[in-house]
């Protein structure tokens, strides 16, 4: 029981003898009786008391209470809150502060907000020194002003240094003469993120776009080692311009009532317990030290709310204690199982069912990863979270791994609309550890552009590793495919038909990933299985795919042999469109590799004729046929024909919007190939960077198609003389260097080496050069297509010439010459390149006449530059200029240049370094009959 | 529908009060009111608490579109919060003075007072607060009435509306509560 006060107010009962305490159980009756008594006139009370049937002790107590009434009423007991004995604490004058009050140099205009720890005022500079209005944050009254002021001043420079488009600036920290600290911040007018989105009924994608702005800001601040610690929609405003502005970055901590070392939650509940700030991370609730992961958690809650209008632990209970317990111990409710209120769906411009479909699945995985209880399991950075959001927006699978696998399938199917054979999938269910939903799937012909999606499919299929174990996330597609193949061959031996189908699938995927050696093995196994299953048609189709792969491996003779077998096996299927079509396709390919353009075109035309109006051949396949026809035409000097086929291909794409976007990229690839063959390098330089970016976004930066585009752009830049820019593409060519595809490897290494040599970097980075040398010196180089062998030799020779060591180039030049002599039908371009290099080497050695002999007809063109090799010939011909001048034939050099410059200008652009150099030579020769002094490298070699 | 309204509806349906959520939203207003509610020796201005509570309510009204019937619930909660806020503030200030924390805030006048003895006003508040815990075991509604009238300063009519009883009942409750508290505070 509380003791009476000693001073101040007169306390009750000081004059009377102490009365016995009243038992709790008696109070209700006594209070009721007091009420009754108070209704009676005082004269009646004594009689009423006498008649009352009450125990004597209680009657005494009642009398005592009735006596108290007099004092209660005369004192107006509890009539008002008592006056405090001290003075009103300084800080509390804040509550007396109003518009017009001055805090330091700032005049308050109006209150614009209230936080748990402070009030925010709109203010302006009293002396007019700063013409903008600011937000002035005034901490609430309470102890610790001095410590707060100290902390604020200490952190001022860090916080004021946060300059970012999406972060509201902290202009300054001030302290009034009475020691009250305050913050001067940029005044941002706008709605909180969630309100803004609801008001405008923003659909999910646009909400995510806004959220990415938040992530950008958070990443920036984290980079400067500033945590926010209080991320919530009220601190994330969207201004009139639609820009996100984050408020109070890093300030929450400073304003908390704890001392410097603690990270306290702010609010105190009425019952004295700590409140659960709705966006606090588990470590925040536990009062542990915080890191960037804590902000990520809060962002996760914001994202959750942005998506479905609820928070993940709302269901745990109405009291903060229950919610806090849930945050610390339980899993958040998955988005897919969250109840979607009709208003919530409306605010996202969709229906509840559609919204649930959208946010369940991958977005759920992203959010749950951000909300992992263990900080280490969340996204490592805002940037990582942003990457996944970006992937989701692009329709690609995200990195976040949910516990189960089933959703991967749903995602895959939605994205690619493939139909998987029910039988095969049932078998897969047996073959893999986890239960998998059955879908429809149809094997489509392989295309490089599908590589990424196939890989993703198989990633999902065989995802057995625990994403939390080290290395669990690094499993490569190749390993998974291998794994898949093993499982298929082991688990499905009893059903060869299904096994063969699956192996066909896997084999094509491996080929698409350039794992061609493995692909060969897999496809052979598939063929064997189909033989066993007694399915000649399927077997033939697999064989044709295998031929394609063998060609890519450079085993030309083997491919041709297999093709003969295939043609024989195809006889019973002569009316089968799919079979015949695929056969014709392969025959065209082989003809192309043999450089038999006429045969190639003939096959392709037959293929197209077959495709016309035939339901059996998909529009996509027709597009592919047209691509090949275009290339074939271009090679046989029919540029208008080539461009015509390309135009037809684009037509089909337009007419069939269901064809995936990567088909368009493939056609672009072919068009660029034609551009390159015709020397239109300027066109490539201008269009390609954008197309590469498009490719990277739609597919994957590592997909073979994007790599091909980069390779070609690099080659164009080398011709244009943009050497540094060419070198910049070296990294992007890394995927080509896969040893399982020797052609790709040689091509990639050549490009890289050339770029390094041209920028004088070869000595510093000799790896690619060494690798090329290894390849040409190895015993089985003879298995490699001679065109590629020639390319490698040319590159090695050229590197030495560019380094000013023509003697070292000679051995390779000699080998190149014998190669050319021994092989007919080598690509003309590469052969001419060899001549140019030889000429340059000889010229450097001072043997100008021999140089001119080596260059041959390049120096004496018989007609105007025209046709597919026109531009190239002019370029190579430029190597004649120096030897001509050196052998005292400046007029011939002049004539050569005069003839060639217009072509160069037209196709390379007047600003290209190559053209400018040629122009320089021309001008110099015309004026002085001499060349300008050579640059440091001493070599003008154009290849 | 605003969060508060939803929460209040939940409360009305008999579920445990969604106190926490409301606190988050109302806390700044209530804190401000509690500050203003405490009166000091050197105050020349006395604030009209009822007006302040109304202001807070209006603020909410604008933000959340509360229905009139919710006001009653709101006031009951606000009063409970207010009680604890006031008690917290008083305790803080007491601790400060005892611990000699921020000397700069104590004027010469009060030094004498402090050295003399405990401060009457603060004591009464704290003791009433403790006694209410006892009273709660007798009759909860009496506690509500004290909170709303003593700590917040609402009128009988407002209290009646909030608790869903007649002003006459509030009056009776007020007297009962006072009787109990006077006896409790006065006893040894």
């Amino acid at each position: 029981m509380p003791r009476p006060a000693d001073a101040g107010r007169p306390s009750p009962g000081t004059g009377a003898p102490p009365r016995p305490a009243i038992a709790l159980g008696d109070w209700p009756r006594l209070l009721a009786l007091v009420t009754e008594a108070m209704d009676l006139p005082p004269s009646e009370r004594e009689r009423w008391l006498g008649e009352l049937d009450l125990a004597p002790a209680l009657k005494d107590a009642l009398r005592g209470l009735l006596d108290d009434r007099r004092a209660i009423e005369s004192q107006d007991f509890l009539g008002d809150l008592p006056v405090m004995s001290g003075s009103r604490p300084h800080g509390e004058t804040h509550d007396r502060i109003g518009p017009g009050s001055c805090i330091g140099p700032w005049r308050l205009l109006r209150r614009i907000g209230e936080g748990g720890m402070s009030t925010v005022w709109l203010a302006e500079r009293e002396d007019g020194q700063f013409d903008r209005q600011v937000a002035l944050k005034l901490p609430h009254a309470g102890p610790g002003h001095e410590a707060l002021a100290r902390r604020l001043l200490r952190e001022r420079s860090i916080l004021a240094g946060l300059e970012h488009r999406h972060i509201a600036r902290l202009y300054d920290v001030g302290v009034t003469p009475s020691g009250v600290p305050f913050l001067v911040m940029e005044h941002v007018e706008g709605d909180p993120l969630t309100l803004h989105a609801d008001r405008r009924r923003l659909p999910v994608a646009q909400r995510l776009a806004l959220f990415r702005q938040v992530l950008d800001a958070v990443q920036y601040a984290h980079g400067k080692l500033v945590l926010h610690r209080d991320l919530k929609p009220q601190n994330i405003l969207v201004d009139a311009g639609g820009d996100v502005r984050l408020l109070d970055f890093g300030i929450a901590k400073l304003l908390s009532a704890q001392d410097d070392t603690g990270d306290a939650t702010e609010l105190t509940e009425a019952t004295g317990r700590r409140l659960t700030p709705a966006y606090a991370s588990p470590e925040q609730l536990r009062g542990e030290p915080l890191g960037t992961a804590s902000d990520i958690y809060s962002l996760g809650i914001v994202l959750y709310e942005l998506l479905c209008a609820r928070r993940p632990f709302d269901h745990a209970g109405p009291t903060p204690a229950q919610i806090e317990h849930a945050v610390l111990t339980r899993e958040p409710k998955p988005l897919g199982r969250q109840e979607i209120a009709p208003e919530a769906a409306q605010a996202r411009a969709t229906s509840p069912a559609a919204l649930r479909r959208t946010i369940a699945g991958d977005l759920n995985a992203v959010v749950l990863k951000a909300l992992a209880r263990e900080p280490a399991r969340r996204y490592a950075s805002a940037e990582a979270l942003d990457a996944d959001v970006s992937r989701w927006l692009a329709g690609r699978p995200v990195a976040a791994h949910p516990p189960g696998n089933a959703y991967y399938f749903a995602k895959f199917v939605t994205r690619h609309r493939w139909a998987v054979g029910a039988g095969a999938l049932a078998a897969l269910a047996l073959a893999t550890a986890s239960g998998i939903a059955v879908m429809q799937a149809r094997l489509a012909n392989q295309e490089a552009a599908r590589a990424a999606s196939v890989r993703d499919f198989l990633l999902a299929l065989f995802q057995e590793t625990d994403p939390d174990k080290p290395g669990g996330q690094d499993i490569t597609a190749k390993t998974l495919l291998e794994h898949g193949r093993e499982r298929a061959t082991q688990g499905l031996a009893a059903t060869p038909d299904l096994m063969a189908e699956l192996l066909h699938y896997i084999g094509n995927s491996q080929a698409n990933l350039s794992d061609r050696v493995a692909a060969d093995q897999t496809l052979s196994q598939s063929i064997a299985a189909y033989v066993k299953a007694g399915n000649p048609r399927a077997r033939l189709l697999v064989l044709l795919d295998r031929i394609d792969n063998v060609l890519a491996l450079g085993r030309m003779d083997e491919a041709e042999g297999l093709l003969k077998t295939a043609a024989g096996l195809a006889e019973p299927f002569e009316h089968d469109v799919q079979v015949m079509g695929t056969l014709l396709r392969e025959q065209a390919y082989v003809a192309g590799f043999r450089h038999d353009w006429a045969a190639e075109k003939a096959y392709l035309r037959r293929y197209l004729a077959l495709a016309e109006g035939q339901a059996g051949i998909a529009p996509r396949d027709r597009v592919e046929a047209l691509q090949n026809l275009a290339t074939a035409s271009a090679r046989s000097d029919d540029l208008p024909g080539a461009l015509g086929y390309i135009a037809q291909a684009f037509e089909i794409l337009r007419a069939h919007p269901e064809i995936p976007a990567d088909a368009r990229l493939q056609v672009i690839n072919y068009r660029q190939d034609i551009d390159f063959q015709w020397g239109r390098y300027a066109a490539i330089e201008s269009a390609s960077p954008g197309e590469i970016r498009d490719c990277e976004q739609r597919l994957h930066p590592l997909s073979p198609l994007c790599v091909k585009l980069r390779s070609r752009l690099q080659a164009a830049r080398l011709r244009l003389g943009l050497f540094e820019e060419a070198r910049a593409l070296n990294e992007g060519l890394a995927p080509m260097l896969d040893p399982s595809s020797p052609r790709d490897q040689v091509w990639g290494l050549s490009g890289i080496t050339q770029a390094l040599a041209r920028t004088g970097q070869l000595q510093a980075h000799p790896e690619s050069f060494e690798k090329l040398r290894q390849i040409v010196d190895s015993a089985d180089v003879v298995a490699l297509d001679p065109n590629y062998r020639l390319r490698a030799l040319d590159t090695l020779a050229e590197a030495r010439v560019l380094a000013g060591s023509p003697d070292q180039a000679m051995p390779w030049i000699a080998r190149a010459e014998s190669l050319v002599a021994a092989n007919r039908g080598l690509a003309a371009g590469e052969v001419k390149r060899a001549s140019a290099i030889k000429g340059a080497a000889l010229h450097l050695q001072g043997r100008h006449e021999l140089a001119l002999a080596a260059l041959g007809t390049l120096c004496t063109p018989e007609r105007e530059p025209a046709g597919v090799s026109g531009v190239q010939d002019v370029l190579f011909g430029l190597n004649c200029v120096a030897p001509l001048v050196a052998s005292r034939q400046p007029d011939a050099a002049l004539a050569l240049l005069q003839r060639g410059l217009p072509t160069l200008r037209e196709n390379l652009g007047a600003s290209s370094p190559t053209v400018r150099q040629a122009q320089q030579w021309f001008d110099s020769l015309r004026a002085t009959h001499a060349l300008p002094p050579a640059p440091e490298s001493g070599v003008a070699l154009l290849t | 529908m605003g969060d508060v309204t939803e929460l209040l509806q939940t409360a009305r349906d008999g579920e445990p009060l969604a106190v926490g959520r409301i606190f988050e939203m109302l806390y700044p207003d209530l804190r401000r009111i509690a500050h203003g509610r405490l009166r000091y020796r050197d105050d020349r201005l006395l604030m009209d608490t009822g007006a302040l509570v109304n202001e807070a309510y209006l603020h909410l009204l604008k933000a959340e579109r509360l229905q009139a019937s919710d006001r009653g619930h709101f006031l009951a909660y606000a009063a409970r919060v207010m009680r604890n806020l006031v008690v917290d503030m008083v305790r803080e200030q007491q601790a400060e003075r005892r611990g000699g924390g921020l000397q700069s805030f104590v004027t010469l006048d009060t030094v004498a007072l402090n050295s003399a003895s405990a401060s009457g006003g603060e004591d009464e508040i704290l003791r009433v607060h403790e006694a209410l815990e006892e009273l709660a075991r007798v009759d909860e509604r009496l506690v509500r009435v004290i909170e709303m009238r003593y700590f917040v300063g609402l009128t009988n009519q407002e209290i009646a509306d909030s608790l869903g009883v007649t002003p006459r009942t509030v009056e009776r409750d007020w007297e009962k509560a006072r009787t109990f508290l006077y006896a409790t505070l006065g006893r040894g």
Side-chain angles (χ1 to χ4, degrees):
Chain A
M1 280 296 189
R3 307 214 121 260
D6 297 322
R9 253 176 194 234
S11 70
T14 31
R19 296 191 207 126
I22 296 171
L24 210 60
D26 292 328
W27 271 108
R29 179 109 199 273
L30 285 173
L31 287 176
L33 287 169
V34 166
T35 306
E36 222 182 291
M38 281 168 70
D39 280 342
L40 294 170
S43 47
E44 296 267 343
R45 273 192 210 153
E46 208 40 57
R47 187 181 56 82
W48 170 82
L49 257 179
E51 285 166 11
L52 213 48
D53 179 18
L54 202 60
L58 282 176
K59 244 191 215 182
D60 279 337
L62 182 55
R63 261 200 210 94
L65 292 178
L66 287 170
D67 281 345
D68 285 343
R69 290 301 316 166
R70 246 173 286 129
I72 289 173
E73 275 153 45
S74 63
Q75 285 171 23
D76 191 24
F77 179 54
L78 302 188
D80 207 340
L81 277 179
V83 178
M84 303 286 105
S85 52
S87 300
R88 182 173 284 278
H90 251 276
E92 289 183 27
T93 50
H94 292 177
D95 281 8
R96 311 291 165 156
I97 281 173
S101 305
C102 280
I103 305 277
W106 301 95
R107 178 174 38 240
L108 304 182
L109 298 174
R110 62 181 164 88
R111 196 197 305 266
I112 49 180
E114 281 276 357
M117 309 293 325
S118 54
T119 312
V120 184
W121 290 84
L122 185 66
E124 66 187 358
R125 192 98 184 182
E126 208 188 357
D127 52 20
Q129 263 190 40
F130 190 63
D131 62 358
R132 257 183 268 154
Q133 292 176 336
V134 299
L136 197 140
K137 194 167 193 129
L138 221 42
H140 278 313
H145 273 157
E146 287 171 1
L148 174 61
R150 268 201 308 274
R151 278 201 302 274
L152 283 173
L153 289 169
R154 194 173 64 217
E155 308 257 341
R156 167 170 57 181
S157 55
I158 300 170
L159 296 177
L162 287 180
E163 283 179 38
H164 189 277
R165 181 178 170 181
H166 297 307
I167 298 181
R169 293 289 312 281
L170 172 71
Y171 293 131
D172 204 3
V173 167
V175 182
T176 67
S178 42
V180 178
F182 60 91
L183 298 156
V184 183
M185 311 179 302
E186 184 182 356
H187 171 56
V188 176
E189 273 187 8
D191 286 333
L193 183 62
T194 40
L195 185 62
H196 172 94
D198 285 346
R199 277 224 176 111
R200 278 161 190 67
R201 299 183 176 232
L202 295 184
V204 167
Q206 277 172 274
R207 285 164 185 258
L208 290 176
L210 282 176
F211 190 69
R212 291 186 70 191
Q213 290 185 20
V214 179
L215 293 175
D216 193 25
V218 171
Q219 178 66 30
Y220 167 85
H222 284 181
K224 298 210 156 196
L225 304 179
V226 177
L227 302 182
H228 192 292
R229 292 177 216 253
D230 194 21
L231 282 167
K232 52 189 180 186
Q234 297 88 315
N235 276 338
I236 305 174
L237 301 188
V238 185
D239 68 20
D243 272 326
V244 159
R245 312 301 305 283
L246 260 60
L247 306 181
D248 292 356
F249 232 108
I251 292 171
K253 179 202 181 188
L254 299 177
L255 292 181
S256 77
Q258 270 327 56
D259 61 63
D260 297 24
T261 53
D263 285 315
T265 54
E266 305 169 5
L267 311 175
T268 310
E269 198 205 77
T271 54
R273 287 189 67 254
R274 243 182 252 232
L275 253 189
T276 307
Y279 302 85
S281 64
E283 56 268 27
Q284 252 173 328
L285 292 174
R286 287 192 291 258
E288 292 166 359
L290 303 182
T292 54
S294 178
D295 275 350
I296 301 287
Y297 186 92
S298 304
L299 286 171
I301 307 252
V302 172
L303 179 58
Y304 192 102
E305 198 174 348
L306 208 56
L307 292 175
C308 74
R310 282 178 200 267
R311 289 196 283 266
F313 294 101
D314 280 355
H315 62 281
T319 72
Q322 287 168 316
I323 296 183
E324 192 173 317
H325 181 75
V327 171
L328 292 173
T329 59
R330 289 169 43 192
E331 299 301 322
K333 193 179 217 181
L335 282 170
R337 279 196 242 130
Q338 196 53 272
E339 277 164 40
I340 313 277
E343 310 86 65
Q346 258 181 11
R348 286 150 186 81
T350 183
S351 72
L355 179 60
R356 180 177 289 114
R357 274 199 301 279
T358 306
I359 63 180
D362 269 2
L363 271 183
N364 182 49
V366 170
V367 165
L368 292 188
K369 187 174 163 86
L371 294 177
R373 276 203 306 281
E374 285 291 304
R377 292 186 55 170
R378 299 173 203 154
Y379 287 98
S381 64
E383 201 164 25
L385 173 52
D386 181 70
D388 252 5
V389 171
S390 154
R391 279 186 207 114
W392 187 87
L393 286 169
R396 293 167 44 219
V398 298
H401 294 289
N405 285 333
Y407 94 102
Y408 263 118
F409 284 95
K411 166 86 183 179
F412 182 71
V413 169
T414 325
R415 197 172 147 227
H416 301 288
R417 280 170 260 130
W418 281 26
V420 177
L425 256 294
L428 287 173
L430 293 172
T432 60
S434 47
I436 300 162
V438 174
M439 317 177 296
Q440 295 294 293
R442 179 175 65 84
L443 274 176
N445 61 330
Q446 84 272 15
E447 283 144 25
R450 297 244 187 115
S453 31
V454 175
R455 176 190 64 217
D456 296 335
F457 171 77
L458 288 155
L459 264 171
L461 199 59
F462 298 108
Q463 183 86 5
E464 283 192 315
T465 52
D466 182 351
D468 295 323
K469 289 215 195 88
Q473 297 200 11
D474 293 340
I475 284 216
T476 63
K478 289 206 180 131
T479 317
L480 281 162
L481 287 168
E482 256 310 302
H483 197 186
R485 186 171 66 82
E486 269 167 59
R487 294 204 125 207
T489 49
Q490 287 161 16
L492 297 172
T495 48
D497 215 4
L498 294 177
M499 182 172 95
E501 185 178 351
L502 187 55
L503 286 173
H504 186 181
Y505 215 53
I506 293 175
N508 282 345
S509 316
Q510 286 172 319
N512 281 334
L513 291 176
S514 301
D515 191 5
R516 299 194 181 275
V517 174
D520 195 41
Q521 192 189 9
T522 311
L523 291 170
S524 302
Q525 281 177 312
S526 174
I527 290 171
Y530 272 131
V531 169
K532 194 164 166 198
N535 189 338
R537 184 177 183 275
R539 178 224 177 155
L540 179 52
L541 287 171
V542 182
L543 176 59
L544 289 167
D545 282 344
R546 185 171 169 232
I547 290 169
D548 201 85
N549 190 50
V550 166
L551 270 177
L553 279 167
R555 304 191 319 226
M556 178 74 69
D557 295 329
E558 187 184 341
E560 283 186 291
L562 289 169
L563 195 56
K564 282 205 188 79
T565 313
L569 290 168
E571 272 169 52
F573 300 103
E574 96 184 53
H575 298 292
D576 186 321
V577 169
Q578 191 185 7
V579 169
M580 291 315 293
T582 315
L583 176 65
L584 281 168
R585 194 191 68 198
E586 284 312 310
Q587 285 171 323
Y589 280 159
V590 169
F593 276 116
R594 265 195 276 108
H595 296 253
D596 186 353
W597 313 128
E600 187 191 22
K601 275 165 88 171
Y603 283 125
L604 284 171
R605 285 212 200 89
R606 274 172 64 190
Y607 178 76
L608 264 184
L610 196 65
E612 293 298 303
Q614 290 280 2
I617 294 193
R620 190 159 186 174
D621 293 345
R622 265 185 278 149
V623 168
E624 196 172 317
L626 284 165
Q627 279 166 186
N628 292 323
L629 268 171
T631 309
S633 304
R635 269 191 238 120
S636 46
D637 267 8
D638 184 10
L639 183 60
L643 294 177
Y645 287 124
I646 294 282
Q648 281 184 50
F650 275 122
E651 258 313 310
I652 295 183
L653 287 171
R654 259 193 298 275
H656 292 268
E658 76 278 7
I659 297 178
D662 48 70
R664 194 183 137 268
L665 285 167
Q666 192 65 273
V667 176
I668 285 174
N669 182 34
Y670 274 81
R671 195 200 63 220
Q672 266 198 17
D673 191 39
I674 293 165
D675 277 337
F676 192 86
Q677 287 176 43
W678 282 71
R680 292 151 45 120
Y681 308 123
I684 295 174
E685 167 66 12
S686 117
S688 189
E691 277 155 359
I692 290 174
R693 262 197 305 275
D694 197 27
C695 180
E696 286 172 356
Q697 271 177 356
R698 287 185 197 280
L699 304 179
H700 190 281
L702 299 178
S703 100
L705 180 56
C706 304
V707 176
K708 214 179 286 184
L709 290 173
R710 273 188 228 121
S711 166
R712 196 175 300 110
L713 176 59
Q714 185 186 59
R717 283 181 171 169
L718 286 169
R719 295 261 160 109
L720 287 167
L722 297 167
F723 301 133
E724 278 298 336
E725 292 84 338
R727 187 168 65 86
L729 288 162
N730 274 2
E731 266 171 48
L733 298 182
M736 288 187 94
L737 306 183
D738 196 315
S740 72
S741 175
R743 295 159 153 240
D744 283 350
Q745 209 187 10
V746 165
W747 201 268
L749 287 169
S750 296
I752 291 170
T753 307
Q754 276 187 284
L756 286 170
R758 285 288 178 184
T759 51
Q761 298 279 317
L762 202 52
Q763 242 188 347
H765 303 281
E767 303 84 21
S768 57
F769 183 91
E770 291 305 318
K771 189 73 203 150
L772 266 179
R773 206 227 298 252
Q774 266 176 39
I775 290 174
V776 299
D777 283 345
S778 80
D780 46 25
V781 71
V782 287
L784 183 61
D785 185 312
N787 281 303
Y788 289 86
R789 264 185 277 161
L790 181 59
R791 184 162 180 83
L793 291 166
D794 279 346
T795 303
L796 291 165
E798 180 193 63
R800 285 289 168 256
V801 170
L802 285 170
S805 316
D807 302 332
Q808 290 179 21
M810 284 313 182
W812 281 308
I813 292 173
R815 282 174 67 175
E817 276 187 310
S818 32
L819 194 62
V820 172
N823 290 276
R824 285 186 305 131
L826 285 179
E830 203 59 45
V831 173
K832 284 178 196 164
R833 186 171 167 230
S835 312
I837 294 171
K838 182 175 178 184
L842 288 166
H843 170 70
L844 270 183
Q845 287 177 328
R847 294 139 86 180
H848 311 297
E849 299 295 336
L850 284 173
L852 288 170
L855 288 158
T857 51
L858 284 172
C859 304
T860 53
E862 284 155 14
R863 51 204 169 93
E864 289 300 321
V868 70
S869 57
V871 177
Q872 195 174 245
D873 287 350
V874 170
L875 272 176
F876 287 153
L878 290 177
N879 292 295
C880 306
V881 172
L884 280 171
V885 173
S887 49
R888 291 183 233 274
Q889 299 174 64
D891 293 320
L894 209 55
L896 194 63
L897 284 165
Q898 185 149 39
R899 192 177 237 150
L901 271 171
T903 304
L904 287 181
R905 265 198 291 271
E906 188 187 319
N907 290 285
L908 276 69
S911 59
S912 107
T914 304
V915 174
R916 275 191 277 130
Q917 170 139 86
Q919 185 70 47
Q920 231 187 8
W921 287 344
F922 180 79
D923 293 336
S924 175
L925 277 176
R926 202 156 54 152
T928 67
H929 274 227
L931 286 175
E936 287 147 22
S937 62
V939 179
L941 170 62
L942 292 149
T943 55
Chain B
M1 182 159 72
D3 281 348
V4 173
T5 311
E6 226 177 275
L7 290 167
L8 293 176
Q9 286 223 316
T10 312
R12 243 184 272 129
D13 292 341
E15 283 189 34
L17 304 172
V19 162
R21 296 296 297 276
I22 297 183
F23 285 162
E24 258 171 70
M25 279 174 274
L26 304 184
Y27 194 78
D29 296 305
L30 297 173
R31 228 194 125 91
R32 195 159 45 85
I33 295 167
H35 272 303
R37 186 84 178 110
L38 290 172
R39 305 179 297 149
Y40 292 84
R41 289 181 86 243
D42 44 5
D43 275 358
R44 257 158 241 117
L45 293 164
L46 292 176
M47 299 186 87
D48 176 3
T49 318
L52 283 176
V53 173
N54 272 320
E55 194 189 313
Y57 172 72
L58 282 171
H59 174 73
L60 251 191
L61 197 63
K62 271 181 280 178
E64 303 281 343
R65 292 185 293 282
L66 276 181
Q67 298 168 23
S69 55
D70 292 327
R71 183 164 180 273
H73 286 90
F74 163 67
L75 289 178
Y77 299 158
R80 192 167 144 197
V81 177
M82 197 71 69
R83 170 184 159 195
N84 284 281
L85 277 173
V86 168
V87 167
D88 276 349
M89 281 169 201
V90 165
R91 282 189 180 136
E92 255 176 46
Q93 288 169 23
Q94 277 199 330
E96 226 173 79
R97 280 196 211 102
R98 260 182 249 123
L102 293 157
Q103 296 299 332
S104 54
F105 293 156
V106 180
T107 68
L108 282 172
D109 285 8
T110 54
V111 166
L113 252 183
N114 283 344
S115 58
S117 64
S119 22
E122 284 87 332
D123 266 8
E124 175 181 306
I125 290 175
L126 293 177
R127 286 163 55 219
V128 166
H129 174 66
E130 280 167 35
L132 284 174
E133 300 296 320
E134 287 286 313
L135 182 56
R137 293 155 72 188
V138 175
D139 186 341
E140 271 275 355
R141 204 174 67 209
L142 302 184
V143 176
R144 298 281 90 77
V145 171
I146 293 287
E147 284 172 349
M148 285 193 262
R149 185 149 163 184
Y150 177 66
F151 284 96
V152 181
L154 295 172
T155 64
N156 275 359
Q157 185 62 58
E158 287 171 324
I159 297 172
D161 288 340
S162 170
L163 296 177
V165 298
T166 64
R168 181 91 189 91
T169 308
V170 172
E171 187 58 42
R172 282 211 205 100
D173 281 352
W174 169 244
E175 296 306 336
K176 281 190 197 171
R178 284 211 294 179
T179 304
F180 175 90
L181 288 170
Y182 190 86
T184 306
L185 262 54
R187 303 291 169 106

